[in-house]
Amino acid sequence: MPALPAVPRYLILLITVLWTAPLAAEALDALRERLAPLNSLQGRFDQQVLSQDGEVLERSSGRFMLLRPGYFYWRIEAPDDQLLVAADNRLWHYDADLETANRRPIRDEQQGGPIAILSGDIDRLADYYYVRDLGAGRFRLEPREADRQFEAVELAFTDAAPLSMSVEDRLQQTTRIEFAAIELNPPLTADDFVFEPPDGVDVYYHD
């Protein structure tokens, strides 16, 4: 029997693209279905930064609020007191221990950051990420832009609520966030994300 002719490389690439694209589209649709009912969220978080070998380098905990699209409140209560607030395309960072507050504009690339997966516009997910459905309510998102500060994000759900998020950075470290005491769609408004620096704090505007 004569040997079968080799498949040209360009056909292998084309076949791979044709097979992969529907799978990627299905994964994106599945993630959107998970996120679509979540207009707002609040709860608590425990966060760890792990080395490549799994050693715990940092720990922190606190509470958060999210309102789609574009609002989040992230309060670290331990081991120190820090606050991140995003609203009206600006990001505040308040360090209570250092008594400083910084305000910066939120650039387009920051709108595609990990926390924006939960708080941002779900119709723009495909602009920022390739999405893979890992099954059992788990998704892996890899940034489309090569100059991102992170390699991938994994997001896990339990029932209708987000359970955890892991962010793999370019230093081979992983930030793992576990969510708890989740309240789905609390009655949050933009007023809940207004930040006024306390008296006596050094304020720096970068916009």
Side-chain angles (χ1 to χ4, degrees), residues 145-194:
E145 299 294 333
D147 60 352
R148 294 286 187 180
Q149 297 301 309
F150 56 95
E151 297 280 355
V153 179
E154 288 198 9
L155 184 61
F157 292 84
T158 175
D159 296 325
L163 175 66
S164 65
M165 174 182 287
S166 295
V167 183
E168 303 168 12
D169 67 25
R170 295 191 177 279
L171 299 177
Q172 305 302 312
Q173 295 178 353
T174 300
T175 299
R176 182 174 298 160
I177 303 168
E178 302 286 340
F179 300 110
I182 291 288
E183 184 178 350
L184 301 177
N185 295 318
L188 300 176
T189 70
D191 291 340
D192 295 303
F193 300 85
V194 173

Side-chain angles (χ1 to χ4, degrees), residues 18-96:
L18 290 176
W19 282 347
T20 304
L23 294 176
E26 290 174 7
L28 178 62
D29 289 343
L31 178 57
R32 283 174 172 164
E33 286 180 11
R34 290 274 186 173
L35 293 172
L38 307 179
N39 296 315
S40 60
L41 286 171
Q42 65 183 15
R44 299 196 59 82
F45 68 87
D46 289 297
Q47 181 172 303
Q48 295 181 343
V49 178
L50 307 174
S51 70
Q52 185 176 7
D53 299 326
E55 177 186 0
V56 178
L57 303 176
E58 297 177 17
R59 296 179 188 268
S60 60
S61 61
R63 54 193 174 90
F64 73 93
M65 300 186 298
L66 304 172
L67 175 65
R68 186 181 295 127
Y71 295 87
F72 74 80
Y73 174 104
W74 195 264
R75 184 96 196 206
I76 297 175
E77 299 173 332
D80 50 13
D81 187 354
Q82 298 196 46
L83 174 64
L84 292 172
V85 180
D88 299 325
N89 290 319
R90 290 186 173 91
L91 177 67
W92 280 101
H93 175 209
Y94 170 55
D95 191 315

